[in-house]
Amino acid sequence: MQRILVIGCSGGGKSTLARALGAKLGLPVPHLDVLWWQPGWVPLGHEKLRPLVEKVVAEEGWVVDGNFSDTFPMRLARADTVIWIDRPRLVSFARAFGRFLKLRGQPREDVGEGCPEKFDLEFARYIWTYNRKVAPRMAAMLREHGSHVDVVRLRNDAEIAEFLNQT
């Protein structure tokens, strides 16, 4: 594993797993949310994101977390492994809301500078509908463009811990 994509719903633990894998394997961990979100939660825009992601995936090794379906085929083409954190929506919802309560008003290291942690209706709706709306698109892109990658699906903390121990 040298070029790893970590995907899944917000609140599932993508960034935490990406950091742990990066540290264990000695790989950089560029977070897509850091590239995408500008101060005040202003999106960068897809046209500006694309060349930044191209530069990231041109590197020899990395662990990239995030869905961003518009750049997924580009990232997938260079990946050798996809780790899909596939938690029930209630778990992701509760974890994201708990993170908000813990960090309220403070930024996370895996989100752009000037973006304090928030939990609004749009974000809640995204989490609640992820398995119905986003996950099928990701699965279709994996089927279409991902025959060359190993796909690892992790559904809970025990599976994540076991995967990290075996890596």
Side-chain angles (χ1 to χ4, degrees), residues 120-133:
D120 58 13
L121 184 58
E122 180 182 358
F123 187 49
R125 187 176 294 128
Y126 174 80
I127 293 170
W128 200 252
T129 62
Y130 178 89
N131 288 335
R132 190 178 70 234
K133 291 184 175 182

PDB file of all heavy atoms in Angstrom, residues 120-133:
ATOM      1  N   ASP A 120     -24.531  21.887  10.928  1.00  0.00           N
ATOM      2  CA  ASP A 120     -25.750  22.568  10.521  1.00  0.00           C
ATOM      3  C   ASP A 120     -26.683  21.584   9.813  1.00  0.00           C
ATOM      4  O   ASP A 120     -26.360  20.404   9.644  1.00  0.00           O
ATOM      5  CB  ASP A 120     -25.434  23.787   9.656  1.00  0.00           C
ATOM      6  CG  ASP A 120     -24.631  23.451   8.406  1.00  0.00           C
ATOM      7  OD1 ASP A 120     -24.512  22.261   8.042  1.00  0.00           O
ATOM      8  OD2 ASP A 120     -24.102  24.385   7.781  1.00  0.00           O
ATOM      9  N   LEU A 121     -27.829  22.085   9.390  1.00  0.00           N
ATOM     10  CA  LEU A 121     -28.827  21.231   8.755  1.00  0.00           C
ATOM     11  C   LEU A 121     -28.298  20.590   7.469  1.00  0.00           C
ATOM     12  O   LEU A 121     -28.542  19.412   7.212  1.00  0.00           O
ATOM     13  CB  LEU A 121     -30.105  22.032   8.467  1.00  0.00           C
ATOM     14  CG  LEU A 121     -31.271  21.247   7.896  1.00  0.00           C
ATOM     15  CD1 LEU A 121     -31.681  20.110   8.820  1.00  0.00           C
ATOM     16  CD2 LEU A 121     -32.454  22.177   7.638  1.00  0.00           C
ATOM     17  N   GLU A 122     -27.570  21.340   6.670  1.00  0.00           N
ATOM     18  CA  GLU A 122     -27.026  20.809   5.417  1.00  0.00           C
ATOM     19  C   GLU A 122     -26.068  19.644   5.687  1.00  0.00           C
ATOM     20  O   GLU A 122     -26.116  18.606   5.021  1.00  0.00           O
ATOM     21  CB  GLU A 122     -26.302  21.913   4.652  1.00  0.00           C
ATOM     22  CG  GLU A 122     -25.704  21.454   3.344  1.00  0.00           C
ATOM     23  CD  GLU A 122     -24.954  22.587   2.640  1.00  0.00           C
ATOM     24  OE1 GLU A 122     -24.926  23.726   3.138  1.00  0.00           O
ATOM     25  OE2 GLU A 122     -24.393  22.297   1.576  1.00  0.00           O
ATOM     26  N   PHE A 123     -25.201  19.802   6.682  1.00  0.00           N
ATOM     27  CA  PHE A 123     -24.248  18.752   7.045  1.00  0.00           C
ATOM     28  C   PHE A 123     -24.986  17.542   7.615  1.00  0.00           C
ATOM     29  O   PHE A 123     -24.691  16.398   7.262  1.00  0.00           O
ATOM     30  CB  PHE A 123     -23.234  19.312   8.041  1.00  0.00           C
ATOM     31  CG  PHE A 123     -22.107  18.381   8.374  1.00  0.00           C
ATOM     32  CD1 PHE A 123     -21.392  17.731   7.387  1.00  0.00           C
ATOM     33  CD2 PHE A 123     -21.751  18.172   9.698  1.00  0.00           C
ATOM     34  CE1 PHE A 123     -20.337  16.876   7.704  1.00  0.00           C
ATOM     35  CE2 PHE A 123     -20.699  17.326  10.033  1.00  0.00           C
ATOM     36  CZ  PHE A 123     -19.988  16.678   9.032  1.00  0.00           C
ATOM     37  N   ALA A 124     -25.952  17.783   8.477  1.00  0.00           N
ATOM     38  CA  ALA A 124     -26.738  16.692   9.052  1.00  0.00           C
ATOM     39  C   ALA A 124     -27.463  15.909   7.955  1.00  0.00           C
ATOM     40  O   ALA A 124     -27.488  14.675   7.960  1.00  0.00           O
ATOM     41  CB  ALA A 124     -27.744  17.233  10.063  1.00  0.00           C
ATOM     42  N   ARG A 125     -28.024  16.618   6.993  1.00  0.00           N
ATOM     43  CA  ARG A 125     -28.730  15.977   5.871  1.00  0.00           C
ATOM     44  C   ARG A 125     -27.757  15.148   5.033  1.00  0.00           C
ATOM     45  O   ARG A 125     -28.079  14.050   4.586  1.00  0.00           O
ATOM     46  CB  ARG A 125     -29.422  17.028   5.016  1.00  0.00           C
ATOM     47  CG  ARG A 125     -30.316  16.427   3.941  1.00  0.00           C
ATOM     48  CD  ARG A 125     -31.081  17.490   3.167  1.00  0.00           C
ATOM     49  NE  ARG A 125     -32.035  18.156   4.047  1.00  0.00           N
ATOM     50  CZ  ARG A 125     -32.132  19.472   4.197  1.00  0.00           C
ATOM     51  NH1 ARG A 125     -31.330  20.280   3.540  1.00  0.00           N
ATOM     52  NH2 ARG A 125     -33.028  19.989   5.005  1.00  0.00           N
ATOM     53  N   TYR A 126     -26.549  15.673   4.797  1.00  0.00           N
ATOM     54  CA  TYR A 126     -25.541  14.943   4.033  1.00  0.00           C
ATOM     55  C   TYR A 126     -25.226  13.609   4.720  1.00  0.00           C
ATOM     56  O   TYR A 126     -25.199  12.554   4.074  1.00  0.00           O
ATOM     57  CB  TYR A 126     -24.262  15.784   3.883  1.00  0.00           C
ATOM     58  CG  TYR A 126     -23.130  15.034   3.225  1.00  0.00           C
ATOM     59  CD1 TYR A 126     -23.080  14.890   1.847  1.00  0.00           C
ATOM     60  CD2 TYR A 126     -22.119  14.446   3.985  1.00  0.00           C
ATOM     61  CE1 TYR A 126     -22.051  14.193   1.238  1.00  0.00           C
ATOM     62  CE2 TYR A 126     -21.093  13.748   3.389  1.00  0.00           C
ATOM     63  CZ  TYR A 126     -21.062  13.626   2.014  1.00  0.00           C
ATOM     64  OH  TYR A 126     -20.047  12.917   1.427  1.00  0.00           O
ATOM     65  N   ILE A 127     -24.986  13.652   6.012  1.00  0.00           N
ATOM     66  CA  ILE A 127     -24.679  12.423   6.747  1.00  0.00           C
ATOM     67  C   ILE A 127     -25.859  11.465   6.697  1.00  0.00           C
ATOM     68  O   ILE A 127     -25.692  10.269   6.425  1.00  0.00           O
ATOM     69  CB  ILE A 127     -24.305  12.743   8.215  1.00  0.00           C
ATOM     70  CG1 ILE A 127     -22.982  13.514   8.256  1.00  0.00           C
ATOM     71  CG2 ILE A 127     -24.218  11.464   9.048  1.00  0.00           C
ATOM     72  CD1 ILE A 127     -22.649  14.075   9.622  1.00  0.00           C
ATOM     73  N   TRP A 128     -27.048  11.982   6.942  1.00  0.00           N
ATOM     74  CA  TRP A 128     -28.235  11.123   7.031  1.00  0.00           C
ATOM     75  C   TRP A 128     -28.549  10.434   5.704  1.00  0.00           C
ATOM     76  O   TRP A 128     -29.051   9.322   5.678  1.00  0.00           O
ATOM     77  CB  TRP A 128     -29.431  11.929   7.527  1.00  0.00           C
ATOM     78  CG  TRP A 128     -30.494  11.044   8.092  1.00  0.00           C
ATOM     79  CD1 TRP A 128     -31.697  10.757   7.533  1.00  0.00           C
ATOM     80  CD2 TRP A 128     -30.427  10.304   9.305  1.00  0.00           C
ATOM     81  NE1 TRP A 128     -32.397   9.882   8.334  1.00  0.00           N
ATOM     82  CE2 TRP A 128     -31.632   9.590   9.438  1.00  0.00           C
ATOM     83  CE3 TRP A 128     -29.463  10.171  10.311  1.00  0.00           C
ATOM     84  CZ2 TRP A 128     -31.902   8.756  10.518  1.00  0.00           C
ATOM     85  CZ3 TRP A 128     -29.738   9.354  11.387  1.00  0.00           C
ATOM     86  CH2 TRP A 128     -30.944   8.659  11.477  1.00  0.00           C
ATOM     87  N   THR A 129     -28.233  11.094   4.588  1.00  0.00           N
ATOM     88  CA  THR A 129     -28.567  10.533   3.270  1.00  0.00           C
ATOM     89  C   THR A 129     -27.351   9.935   2.545  1.00  0.00           C
ATOM     90  O   THR A 129     -27.482   9.465   1.418  1.00  0.00           O
ATOM     91  CB  THR A 129     -29.204  11.607   2.362  1.00  0.00           C
ATOM     92  OG1 THR A 129     -28.267  12.669   2.149  1.00  0.00           O
ATOM     93  CG2 THR A 129     -30.494  12.140   2.983  1.00  0.00           C
ATOM     94  N   TYR A 130     -26.190   9.944   3.169  1.00  0.00           N
ATOM     95  CA  TYR A 130     -24.959   9.465   2.519  1.00  0.00           C
ATOM     96  C   TYR A 130     -25.116   8.049   1.953  1.00  0.00           C
ATOM     97  O   TYR A 130     -24.777   7.795   0.798  1.00  0.00           O
ATOM     98  CB  TYR A 130     -23.777   9.515   3.506  1.00  0.00           C
ATOM     99  CG  TYR A 130     -22.500   8.980   2.899  1.00  0.00           C
ATOM    100  CD1 TYR A 130     -21.646   9.819   2.211  1.00  0.00           C
ATOM    101  CD2 TYR A 130     -22.165   7.629   2.997  1.00  0.00           C
ATOM    102  CE1 TYR A 130     -20.482   9.347   1.633  1.00  0.00           C
ATOM    103  CE2 TYR A 130     -21.004   7.145   2.410  1.00  0.00           C
ATOM    104  CZ  TYR A 130     -20.178   8.002   1.734  1.00  0.00           C
ATOM    105  OH  TYR A 130     -19.030   7.511   1.150  1.00  0.00           O
ATOM    106  N   ASN A 131     -25.607   7.124   2.765  1.00  0.00           N
ATOM    107  CA  ASN A 131     -25.699   5.726   2.318  1.00  0.00           C
ATOM    108  C   ASN A 131     -26.683   5.543   1.167  1.00  0.00           C
ATOM    109  O   ASN A 131     -26.551   4.605   0.386  1.00  0.00           O
ATOM    110  CB  ASN A 131     -26.063   4.801   3.478  1.00  0.00           C
ATOM    111  CG  ASN A 131     -24.909   4.629   4.443  1.00  0.00           C
ATOM    112  OD1 ASN A 131     -23.750   4.781   4.080  1.00  0.00           O
ATOM    113  ND2 ASN A 131     -25.218   4.331   5.692  1.00  0.00           N
ATOM    114  N   ARG A 132     -27.624   6.445   1.044  1.00  0.00           N
ATOM    115  CA  ARG A 132     -28.610   6.348  -0.030  1.00  0.00           C
ATOM    116  C   ARG A 132     -28.193   7.132  -1.274  1.00  0.00           C
ATOM    117  O   ARG A 132     -28.489   6.734  -2.387  1.00  0.00           O
ATOM    118  CB  ARG A 132     -29.964   6.839   0.476  1.00  0.00           C
ATOM    119  CG  ARG A 132     -31.112   6.561  -0.491  1.00  0.00           C
ATOM    120  CD  ARG A 132     -32.455   7.023   0.050  1.00  0.00           C
ATOM    121  NE  ARG A 132     -32.496   8.486   0.072  1.00  0.00           N
ATOM    122  CZ  ARG A 132     -32.784   9.220   1.139  1.00  0.00           C
ATOM    123  NH1 ARG A 132     -33.059   8.652   2.285  1.00  0.00           N
ATOM    124  NH2 ARG A 132     -32.799  10.527   1.081  1.00  0.00           N
ATOM    125  N   LYS A 133     -27.492   8.261  -1.087  1.00  0.00           N
ATOM    126  CA  LYS A 133     -27.175   9.139  -2.213  1.00  0.00           C
ATOM    127  C   LYS A 133     -25.717   9.059  -2.668  1.00  0.00           C
ATOM    128  O   LYS A 133     -25.442   8.937  -3.855  1.00  0.00           O
ATOM    129  CB  LYS A 133     -27.518  10.590  -1.869  1.00  0.00           C
ATOM    130  CG  LYS A 133     -29.000  10.853  -1.742  1.00  0.00           C
ATOM    131  CD  LYS A 133     -29.261  12.314  -1.500  1.00  0.00           C
ATOM    132  CE  LYS A 133     -30.753  12.599  -1.497  1.00  0.00           C
ATOM    133  NZ  LYS A 133     -31.018  14.027  -1.300  1.00  0.00           N
TER     134      LYS A 133
END
